[in-house]
C-alpha cells in the first residue's frame, strides 16, 4: 500500500497537481483502490441548526452578520426538529448528519446543552453525527465525544498565507488548535477547504501540506468550490472550472490516501460527467440535500439517480469506525466550565471585506 506521509512539501504537491491529467487520474484512481471501495460513496446531510448572525468576516460566507445577503436567519432549532430532519435524511440514504451553527466559537450554556442532546438523539438513530460549531475547547470536545459525536468539522479553508486575505477576525492557529482539541478525544476530524477564492495554485498546495502534516491526517477532507453569493466580498469571483476540482480531488487522494475526500459545495455547477471524473479521481463522499447550510445543492433524488447510472452505492454508517457510545447528561464526567478562551483576533484589515461591510450598511439604510 501507499505510504502515509506527513512530510509533503508544496513543491512535491504542485508537481502532482500539474501532472498531465490522464497520468494524474490514473495515479489517483490506483491509490483510491488500495484503500477504498471505488463503488461506494459516503452520503452526508448538512443541516443548519442556527443560521446567520455570525460575527466573523469570512469573505466567502453569506452568514456573516456584517454583509447584506438574502439569507434568512433562524435561532437554534429544537431537538425534535433536528430529529425529524435526521429521520428524513436517513430515509433518503444518508448515513451521517452534520449540524452547523453560525457561531464564532462554542459557549457553555443552554444552547450548547441542546446541541449535546441533538448529538445523543441522532447517534441513537444509528447515524453518524458531525458538528461544525466554530472553535471549541478540549473540555467542550470531550462533552461532544461523550454525547456520541462521530466527527467534528473545522476547515482550514486555504493556505496559512492566503488565509489572511480571506478572514481577519480569527487566526489560522485557532483552526489548528481546535483540531488538536478534537484529537484529544475519540472524535474523528473533518477538515478541508475552498478553492476559487482568488488563491493561487500554490495556496491550494499549501492547504494540503497543512492537512497532510496533521498526524493522524483528517478522516474526512471536504473540497469545496466557492459559491459566490451576492453581498459577500467574493460575489464577483468566477466559478471554478471542473478541471480544477478534478485536479484538487485527485491530488488530495494521492497525498492523503486513507482520507475520505468529500465533493462538497459547488456541485450544482458540475455536470454528472464532471462529478463522475471526481469520483474516479478519488472522491468518495458527498453532501446530499437541496442546501449546504445556505447555498444550493443538487436534490437528493438527482444524486441517487446519478449513483444508479454510475453503479455507486451509499456507504453504510460506522464502516470506517465503530459507533460511539452515548453517555447521558446526568452520567457525564465532564461538566460545563464556563470557559472564556482567548481565541485570537488579528489586527489586519482586508479591504474587500470592509467594502462589503460598508455596502451592507448602506443597503440596510436604504431599505
Amino acid at each position: 500500500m501507499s505510504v502515509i506521509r506527513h512530510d509533503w512539501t508544496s513543491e512535491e504537491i504542485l508537481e502532482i497537481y500539474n501532472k498531465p491529467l490522464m497520468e494524474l487520474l490514473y495515479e489517483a484512481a490506483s491509490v483510491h483502490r488500495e484503500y477504498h471501495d471505488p463503488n461506494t460513496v459516503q452520503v452526508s446531510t448538512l443541516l443548519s441548526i442556527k443560521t446567520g448572525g455570525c460575527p466573523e468576516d469570512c469573505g466567502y460566507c453569506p452568514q456573516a452578520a456584517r454583509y447584506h445577503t438574502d439569507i434568512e436567519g433562524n435561532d437554534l432549532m429544537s431537538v425534535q426538529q433536528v430529529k425529524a430532519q435526521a429521520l428524513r435524511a436517513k430515509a433518503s440514504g444518508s448515513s451521517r448528519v452534520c449540524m452547523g451553527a453560525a457561531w464564532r466559537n462554542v459557549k457553555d450554556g443552554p444552547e450548547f446543552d441542546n446541541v449535546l442532546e441533538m448529538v445523543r438523539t441522532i447517534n441513537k438513530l444509528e447515524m453518524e453525527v458531525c458538528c461544525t460549531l466554530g472553535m471549541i475547547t478540549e473540555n467542550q470536545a470531550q462533552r461532544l465525544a461523550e454525547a456520541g459525536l462521530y466527527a467534528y468539522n473545522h476547515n482550514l479553508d486555504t493556505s496559512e498565507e492566503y488565509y489572511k486575505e480571506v478572514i481577519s477576525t480569527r487566526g489560522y492557529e485557532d483552526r489548528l488548535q481546535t483540531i488538536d482539541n478534537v484529537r484529544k478525544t475519540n472524535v474523528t476530524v473533518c477538515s478541508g477547504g475552498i478553492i476559487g477564492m482568488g488563491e493561487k495554485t500554490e495556496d491550494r498546495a499549501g492547504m494540503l501540506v497543512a492537512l497532510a502534516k496533521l498526524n493522524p491526517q483528517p478522516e474526512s477532507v471536504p473540497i469545496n468550490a466557492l459559491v459566490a453569493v451576492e453581498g459577500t466580498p467574493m460575489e464577483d469571483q468566477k466559478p471554478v472550472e471542473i478541471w480544477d476540482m478534478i485536479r484538487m480531488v485527485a491530488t488530495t487522494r494521492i497525498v492523503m490516501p486513507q482520507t475520505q475526500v468529500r465533493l462538497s459545495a459547488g456541485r450544482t455547477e458540475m455536470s454528472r460527467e464532471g462529478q463522475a471524473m471526481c469520483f474516479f479521481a478519488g472522491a468518495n463522499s458527498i453532501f446530499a440535500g437541496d442546501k449546504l447550510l445556505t447555498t444550493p445543492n443538487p436534490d437528493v433524488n438527482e444524486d441517487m439517480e446519478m449513483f444508479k447510472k454510475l453503479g455507486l452505492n451509499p456507504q453504510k454508517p460506522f464502516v470506517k469506525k465503530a459507533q460511539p457510545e452515548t453517555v447521558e447528561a446526568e452520567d457525564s464526567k465532564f461538566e460545563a466550565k464556563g470557559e472564556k478562551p482567548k481565541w485570537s483576533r488579528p489586527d489586519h484589515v482586508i479591504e474587500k471585506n470592509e467594502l462589503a461591510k460598508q455596502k451592507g450598511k448602506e443597503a440596510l439604510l436604504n431599505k
Side-chain angles (χ1 to χ4, degrees):
M1 280 195 168
S2 302
V3 177
I4 307 300
R5 288 181 51 189
H6 301 278
D7 60 349
W8 289 97
T9 66
S10 290
E11 292 74 20
E12 288 175 313
I13 291 176
L14 281 170
E15 186 178 346
I16 294 170
Y17 184 95
N18 290 318
K19 281 187 176 185
L21 186 61
M22 295 305 141
E23 285 186 33
L24 177 60
L25 284 171
Y26 179 79
E27 182 178 350
S30 300
V31 171
H32 186 52
R33 281 156 175 72
E34 286 185 50
Y35 289 90
H36 307 275
D37 177 353
N39 297 316
T40 300
V41 175
Q42 192 267 326
V43 181
S44 295
T45 292
L46 185 54
L47 179 62
S48 182
I49 59 173
K50 187 270 178 186
T51 306
C54 183
E56 303 280 52
D57 77 333
C58 306
Y60 53 79
C61 186
Q63 298 200 63
R66 65 191 66 204
Y67 308 137
H68 182 66
T69 62
D70 291 329
I71 298 305
E72 186 176 335
N74 66 267
D75 294 330
L76 190 68
M77 294 172 68
S78 70
V79 175
Q80 287 305 312
Q81 286 175 314
V82 169
K83 181 179 181 179
Q85 295 276 18
L87 287 169
R88 192 174 296 120
K90 185 176 183 178
S92 68
S94 288
S95 61
R96 179 183 296 187
V97 172
C98 184
M99 298 184 289
W103 293 333
R104 168 178 164 82
N105 58 277
V106 170
K107 295 178 182 177
D108 291 339
E111 287 196 321
F112 185 43
D113 291 341
N114 281 340
V115 171
L116 293 172
E117 198 55 41
M118 293 172 191
V119 172
R120 293 185 182 98
T121 299
I122 297 174
N123 190 44
K124 290 173 186 176
L125 297 177
E126 298 188 341
M127 297 185 76
E128 297 172 7
V129 194
C130 177
C131 281
T132 179
L133 311 169
M135 280 91 75
I136 57 173
T137 66
E138 181 182 345
N139 186 65
Q140 290 164 342
Q142 292 287 4
R143 294 180 72 197
L144 284 164
E146 270 196 332
L149 191 70
Y150 186 90
Y152 194 83
N153 168 262
H154 204 59
N155 289 337
L156 295 185
D157 291 336
T158 185
S159 69
E160 185 171 4
E161 292 74 23
Y162 194 68
Y163 190 85
K164 299 178 182 69
E165 302 298 320
V166 178
I167 302 163
S168 73
T169 51
R170 61 169 183 254
Y172 206 72
E173 189 59 38
D174 295 335
R175 318 300 284 172
L176 296 172
Q177 183 59 56
T178 288
I179 291 171
D180 187 54
N181 289 340
V182 173
R183 277 293 180 219
K184 293 171 184 174
T185 73
N186 64 351
V187 176
T188 64
V189 168
C190 175
S191 185
I194 308 169
I195 67 171
M197 298 191 293
E199 77 285 346
K200 297 177 181 176
T201 308
E202 288 79 3
D203 294 305
R204 297 174 185 178
M207 181 185 77
L208 293 182
V209 167
L211 291 168
K213 278 185 178 178
L214 298 173
N215 193 2
Q217 293 172 347
E219 284 81 357
S220 177
V221 172
I223 302 298
N224 297 275
L226 176 71
V227 178
V229 177
E230 187 177 354
T232 65
M234 296 186 178
E235 63 182 2
D236 295 325
Q237 286 290 336
K238 294 180 180 178
V240 171
E241 289 193 13
I242 187 60
W243 308 112
D244 290 341
M245 284 296 294
I246 294 167
R247 285 187 178 277
M248 193 65 184
V249 165
T251 305
T252 304
R253 169 52 65 224
I254 293 166
V255 173
M256 290 177 274
Q258 291 180 319
T259 291
Q260 290 208 272
V261 180
R262 177 169 291 131
L263 199 57
S264 298
R267 286 201 299 122
T268 53
E269 301 297 322
M270 301 178 201
S271 67
R272 285 188 176 181
E273 293 83 356
Q275 292 180 69
M277 290 188 75
C278 287
F279 293 131
F280 181 76
N284 60 342
S285 181
I286 62 167
F287 278 122
D290 60 355
K291 275 192 176 181
L292 293 187
L293 296 181
T294 60
T295 54
N297 197 53
D299 178 79
V300 66
N301 293 324
E302 290 180 31
D303 284 332
M304 292 303 106
E305 180 63 29
M306 176 176 66
F307 275 29
K308 186 177 179 181
K309 286 185 180 296
L310 298 178
L312 298 175
N313 302 303
Q315 179 179 298
K316 294 181 179 179
F318 313 116
V319 169
K320 301 292 185 178
K321 185 175 180 289
Q323 181 178 9
E325 291 185 14
T326 286
V327 176
E328 300 299 338
E330 58 269 21
D331 299 321
S332 175
K333 295 179 182 177
F334 297 91
E335 297 180 355
K337 292 184 176 180
E339 299 168 282
K340 295 182 180 179
K342 293 188 179 297
W343 301 107
S344 69
R345 290 187 180 274
D347 57 5
H348 69 286
V349 173
I350 303 173
E351 187 176 347
K352 62 177 179 290
N353 290 15
E354 289 301 309
L355 288 172
K357 178 182 175 181
Q358 188 58 39
K359 187 177 174 182
K361 285 183 178 179
E362 291 170 1
L364 287 173
L365 288 172
N366 294 328
K367 263 194 169 183

